[in-house]
Amino acid sequence: MKRLTGLTMFFHSIRFRLVLWFTAILVLVLFTFSAFIYYNQARDFRGDAQYHLERKLEAIQAKVLGSMTGPVLLQESDIFVLLGPDGKVLASQGIASQEEIISLVKQAQTAQQRNIENPSESVVSWVQDWNGTSKHYSFAIKAVPVEGKIGFAILGSPFDPYDLNRRLLVTLLLGSLLTIAIALGGGLWLADRAMRPVHAITQAARTISETDLNRRLNMKGKDELAELSNTFDEMLARLQTAFERQRQFVADASHELRTPLTIVNLESSRALASKRTAPEYQRALGVIRSENEFMAHLVNDLLTLARMDSGQAAMEKTPLDLSDIALEAVERLAPLAERRNVRLETGDLPEVTILGDRRYLLQMMSNLVENGIKYTGGTERRVYVETGLQADSAWVRVSDTGPGIPPEHLPLLFERFYRVDKARARGDDDAQGGNGLGLSIVNWIVQAHNGEVRVESTPEAGTTFEVRFKAA
Ligand code: ADP
């Protein structure tokens, strides 16, 4: 796999993408929020200015009507003109010439015309640049009764909505930028912290090889990453068990092959050491052949198990009669039974159809019957095979009159290379002693058919193996 480095790795990281998304959402929220504040605040600025102008105009009106005695508080920068009913200037402030008054009145008229839809408002206001100064002014005009007729008071105060708005915009912008910067930094830090266990897992996975599968992450906690790491640990444990079993298997297989190889070597060396008689050569060759048969059998079984382990054992399941298979196995092994002076008998063999692979089922049956023949004993020396149907399961039973199997061995019987009595298993002269693989092959075949194998044994009375399959 191509490894990403430095910046490329950072840009591809979940950490970066997470923070990027998070920041994008934050920018959107901040932008909407700021736009809302800006719009509302800009409206309020204008409203405030008008409100103050109106209050002052009301005070001026009160003053003109004589209901107010104190001075009207006008600022030095305020512009003010009071026009009598005939257009005469009765009072003014901040106005330099007649032209200025005329231009102001014109503006007031335009504003009043613009306000025609809202005639109820007694004060009409507008914003304009004031002559000579580059300052913005907010103006208002109000009808004022002078000597029983209508005059007008026009008042203007410096007002720069653009400046206020600009300041607000800058504040909002700076605030937003700062928030985004903090969010980015904090987000990266948090994401980095959250992703640290992932790095630990990656590092561990990189360093673990098949020789140190006993390493574990052992991460504490209850979050998703702890769960991931625990799952990883469990997987390692399973792998370790599988590897160890495999290693053991190879070691056992080599060990099993060593004995016959040594015997062959010894026998041939002894036969070749000096001139022997014909019967002596015959005996040596007999031993060599017997060991060779044992090895051939072992290699065959090992190959079968290896194929099963690697999933290469292809099953071709077809409907078939279990009794047919039992009978075939019995017929095949009849000569062996005869040689070993064992009565091989069959009981009820009704037709019981199951779905299975003929070749493998025959191998399973043969292994069980062969074991019966090999290990039977007592005065009867009998192996009995029968099949049957119970509810929806088909069963086959192989019983013998052998010495039985001590209960403590029963759970281990299907393990590879497991033999109850190693000496007895190899010591027989007629049939080859077992290699301890027969029952593990049986077990595998039964499992592959979703069946179940059970063993019952009474010491000094005999052993019964029972296999059950789902009837088709
Ligand atoms: P083997 O090739 O040694 O027979 P198996 O896997 O077939 O290997 O059997 C494992 C061991 O179980 C045998 O070595 C034997 O000790 C015991 N065993 C199997 N079948 C019987 C039986 N019918 N009666 C007594 N012992 C048995």
Side-chain angles (χ1 to χ4, degrees):
M1 196 190 75
K2 211 179 94 191
R3 287 247 178 101
L4 300 172
T5 45
L7 264 185
T8 332
M9 201 161 97
F10 175 71
F11 287 131
H12 279 84
S13 66
I14 295 183
R15 190 162 46 122
F16 174 69
R17 278 182 289 165
L18 211 74
V19 173
L20 202 71
W21 272 108
F22 165 69
T23 313
I25 292 170
L26 189 72
V27 166
L28 192 77
V29 170
L30 278 175
F31 177 77
T32 318
F33 183 66
S34 302
F36 180 73
I37 288 193
Y38 182 78
Y39 173 75
N40 271 312
Q41 209 51 38
R43 226 179 36 186
D44 284 357
F45 286 153
R46 221 189 157 95
D48 270 6
Q50 280 172 14
Y51 177 80
H52 283 113
L53 283 177
E54 279 172 29
R55 294 290 80 75
K56 281 185 188 171
L57 279 173
E58 273 165 16
I60 288 165
Q61 187 184 34
K63 179 90 183 164
V64 173
L65 289 175
S67 61
M68 194 176 110
T69 44
V72 175
L73 280 179
L74 285 184
Q75 237 97 66
E76 215 173 295
S77 53
D78 283 352
I79 288 164
F80 170 65
V81 59
L82 179 64
L83 295 169
D86 49 359
K88 230 173 84 188
V89 177
L90 301 178
S92 74
Q93 177 186 302
I95 294 194
S97 63
Q98 190 65 27
E99 285 82 60
E100 280 184 358
I101 296 181
I102 291 169
S103 109
L104 198 60
V105 170
K106 264 193 194 143
Q107 288 279 359
Q109 278 168 345
T110 333
Q112 270 172 327
Q113 270 158 16
R114 248 190 278 131
N115 199 49
I116 233 86
E117 303 104 58
N118 258 332
S120 62
E121 280 186 21
S122 59
V123 178
V124 175
S125 52
W126 70 98
V127 175
Q128 70 165 84
D129 280 350
W130 182 239
N131 298 1
T133 64
S134 58
K135 270 188 186 167
H136 275 68
Y137 270 73
S138 178
F139 281 99
I141 179 165
K142 186 174 170 55
V144 178
V146 181
E147 294 154 4
K149 289 190 180 157
I150 303 284
F152 287 98
I154 300 175
L155 178 64
S157 286
F159 167 66
D160 189 352
Y162 305 108
D163 185 43
L164 283 173
N165 289 349
R166 206 180 307 121
R167 283 219 299 266
L168 178 66
L169 200 66
V170 169
T171 313
L172 284 174
L173 233 123
L174 280 179
S176 299
L177 281 178
L178 197 73
T179 313
I180 290 168
I182 292 173
L184 252 172
L188 273 176
W189 180 75
L190 265 178
D192 198 52
R193 255 181 78 99
M195 287 294 150
R196 223 172 276 166
V198 177
H199 291 309
I201 296 176
T202 314
Q203 283 301 327
R206 244 179 227 151
T207 53
I208 288 170
S209 68
E210 61 191 82
T211 47
D212 66 347
L213 276 174
N214 52 349
R215 278 192 58 172
R216 297 288 178 274
L217 296 169
N218 282 330
M219 211 153 91
K220 306 271 179 295
K222 289 191 169 65
D223 57 12
E224 293 88 335
L225 289 172
E227 196 186 327
L228 172 70
S229 108
N230 288 340
T231 314
F232 187 77
D233 281 352
E234 281 162 25
M235 184 192 75
L236 279 178
R238 280 199 303 275
L239 276 179
Q240 190 182 15
T241 317
F243 265 110
E244 248 144 46
R245 194 183 300 150
Q246 202 68 25
R247 215 170 5 225
Q248 190 60 43
F249 183 57
V250 172
D252 288 344
S254 320
H255 182 80
E256 289 297 319
L257 279 169
R258 209 157 52 195
T259 316
L261 281 172
T262 313
I263 295 174
V264 167
N265 192 23
L266 275 174
E267 282 298 326
S268 48
S269 304
R270 203 163 57 190
L272 291 170
S274 58
K275 220 167 159 32
R276 307 275 170 193
T277 61
E280 277 173 332
Y281 282 129
Q282 219 162 22
R283 197 201 61 84
L285 282 173
V287 172
I288 289 171
R289 190 183 65 181
S290 154
E291 292 305 323
N292 197 47
E293 267 168 20
F294 176 84
M295 286 192 282
H297 198 111
L298 176 66
V299 168
N300 240 333
D301 282 355
L302 285 176
L303 273 176
T304 307
L305 279 170
R307 261 204 299 274
M308 288 168 172
D309 284 346
S310 63
Q312 284 171 354
M315 292 264 157
E316 275 170 42
K317 289 185 183 166
T318 48
L320 36 85
D321 182 7
L322 190 60
S323 300
D324 229 28
I325 292 175
L327 204 60
E328 195 176 330
V330 167
E331 279 166 4
R332 261 176 151 202
L333 290 160
L336 176 70
E338 206 177 286
R339 238 188 2 254
R340 304 203 63 189
N341 204 14
V342 173
R343 266 166 52 209
L344 180 55
E345 292 171 355
T346 52
D348 262 358
L349 292 175
E351 191 179 328
V352 276
T353 315
I354 62 164
L355 210 62
D357 183 297
R358 186 171 191 89
R359 209 160 44 98
Y360 281 112
L361 288 176
L362 189 62
Q363 183 172 9
M364 175 207 83
M365 264 325 288
S366 305
N367 283 7
L368 290 178
V369 176
E370 194 183 332
N371 273 359
I373 298 171
K374 274 195 301 194
Y375 301 110
T376 197
T379 44
E380 251 191 291
R381 292 183 73 83
R382 189 170 87 116
V383 175
Y384 187 71
V385 180
E386 60 180 334
T387 58
L389 200 63
Q390 193 182 51
D392 61 346
S393 63
W395 55 261
V396 55
R397 254 177 234 143
V398 181
S399 332
D400 63 66
T401 55
I405 303 165
E408 66 271 21
H409 293 284
L410 291 181
L412 301 167
L413 223 51
F414 296 95
E415 302 263 306
R416 293 175 182 188
F417 297 108
Y418 191 82
R419 283 175 299 211
V420 175
D421 180 349
K422 299 205 178 211
R424 190 187 68 185
R426 263 190 65 80
D428 214 281
D429 53 317
D430 184 1
Q432 275 295 340
N435 52 34
L437 291 176
L439 284 180
S440 29
I441 292 175
V442 166
N443 193 35
W444 189 91
I445 294 171
V446 172
Q447 305 255 309
H449 284 81
N450 300 320
E452 202 184 345
V453 55
R454 277 193 312 175
V455 51
E456 256 170 44
S457 192
T458 318
E460 306 310 325
T463 307
T464 301
F465 282 90
E466 184 189 274
V467 183
R468 274 177 185 271
F469 298 109
K470 200 171 147 41

